[in-house]
Amino acid sequence: MKELHFETIDSTSTYLKRNRGELDSFTAVSASFQSEGRGRSGRSWKADKNENLLFSILLKDAPQLEAGPFLSLVSAFSVARSLEGMGMEEISIKWPNDVYVAGKKVCGILLEGNISEYIVIGIGINVNQTEFHDEYRIPPTSIRLELGKEVDIKGFRALLYKNLEEDLKDCLNKRRFISYYEGHDYLKGKKVEHLGDTCTVIGVDEDFALILEKDGVKEKVTSSEVTLKLV
Ligand code: BTN
């Protein structure tokens, strides 16, 4: 992994998209603060300065482009196993790519790009932040809140980069990631609203499409841009 770090940047993902022509695949850019951090579905991603891990990775090689949206799960898996490596328990993945600890969000992942050319994976992890300023239905958590102690952000970043590099290079070995997901599935059995209907989440298929059930009829949801509301 080639590593760059900025104290302040607009957004690590925007930086990589802007400079993707000059930068190599597996370049990681982190920042202590983002002035225009972006989340999924056009939302902003706000994180207090110096308290969190905010970074993005540029991918341009064939195996990763072939894996495409599946990289959401690969990234969530890397984050989850790195958190486990820090001694955290009760980790789950919320399809397609949020990581939860004890039922609360600790990490968000944003996949962008154009799969014939490049993919940028943006990852935001709440590390030492203990107060969250926006209104949330379920307030987020951080590694520090869960472990009860301050975390060395650089040390955690090194562990995560190592795991991500290994897992992203193995991204076509889908079964490995699906198996982990099946054992750490946040949504399984929960009720969600999809296109106005209330459905029950059954699980995922081998391509990581979500399987929902309504009135005994199963339906697959493939787009990772679908926003599901828990009911
Ligand atoms: C989500 O909405 O849950 C995804 C959040 C992704 C945030 C990260 S922080 C680093 C990278 N740069 C951004 O602007 N966004 C991603």
Side-chain angles (χ1 to χ4, degrees):
M1 198 90 89
K2 293 202 176 144
E3 300 177 22
L4 295 170
H5 181 78
F6 293 92
E7 278 308 302
T8 297
I9 201 169
D10 50 356
S11 148
T12 54
S13 289
T14 308
Y15 176 89
L16 283 180
K17 286 168 82 173
R18 226 173 18 234
N19 296 291
R20 64 181 186 272
E22 290 77 53
L23 295 170
D24 291 334
S25 197
F26 285 91
T27 298
V29 176
S30 57
S32 304
F33 181 72
Q34 296 184 126
S35 55
E36 289 170 56
R38 293 182 290 103
R40 296 180 73 229
S41 313
R43 286 188 289 263
S44 63
W45 182 263
K46 292 184 195 142
D48 288 356
K49 190 175 170 88
N50 295 329
E51 304 283 356
N52 302 294
L53 188 47
L54 309 166
F55 69 98
S56 303
I57 299 177
L58 174 67
L59 299 164
K60 306 202 275 189
D61 298 337
Q64 289 75 38
L65 296 182
E66 189 186 324
F70 192 79
L71 297 183
S72 290
L73 173 59
V74 177
S75 312
F77 168 81
S78 290
V79 172
R81 76 173 173 116
S82 304
L83 293 174
E84 285 174 350
M86 303 276 290
M88 295 176 77
E89 292 169 1
E90 285 189 77
I91 311 272
S92 58
I93 298 176
K94 181 176 174 219
W95 184 92
N97 54 9
D98 287 341
V99 182
Y100 276 55
V101 179
K104 288 165 278 180
K105 180 162 166 167
V106 71
C107 164
I109 299 174
L110 174 69
L111 219 68
E112 297 174 288
N114 147 7
I115 53 172
S116 62
E117 189 204 340
Y118 76 99
I119 292 174
V120 169
I121 302 175
I123 301 183
I125 304 176
N126 305 327
V127 181
N128 287 322
Q129 189 166 330
T130 53
E131 282 171 26
F132 296 92
H133 315 294
D134 288 346
E135 296 262 316
Y136 297 93
R137 202 171 65 93
I138 305 173
T141 192
S142 65
I143 303 178
R144 180 178 181 166
L145 283 173
E146 297 303 317
L147 285 181
K149 60 175 191 219
E150 194 166 345
V151 175
D152 168 22
I153 297 183
K154 279 191 186 159
F156 180 59
R157 186 178 68 199
L159 169 71
L160 185 50
Y161 279 4
K162 182 178 136 310
N163 288 341
L164 270 164
E165 183 159 14
E166 190 179 300
D167 298 335
L168 288 166
K169 288 192 169 150
D170 193 34
C171 62
L172 295 177
N173 185 7
K174 289 191 174 179
R175 186 75 307 263
R176 175 172 171 232
F177 305 105
I178 298 278
S179 291
Y180 181 89
Y181 179 84
E182 285 170 344
H184 299 81
D185 182 348
Y186 175 86
L187 284 178
K188 193 182 176 97
K190 293 203 167 74
K191 297 239 183 295
V192 296
E193 191 183 300
H194 175 54
L195 303 176
D197 290 332
T198 298
C199 311
T200 305
V201 178
I202 304 296
V204 295
D205 72 4
E206 288 306 300
D207 291 317
F208 201 46
L210 191 72
I211 303 168
L212 302 175
E213 188 178 74
K214 192 193 171 235
D215 302 330
V217 180
K218 290 200 174 75
E219 192 194 345
K220 270 191 212 174
V221 180
T222 51
S223 164
S224 49
E225 273 313 308
V226 165
T227 303
L228 293 170
K229 211 167 85 193
L230 279 168
V231 290

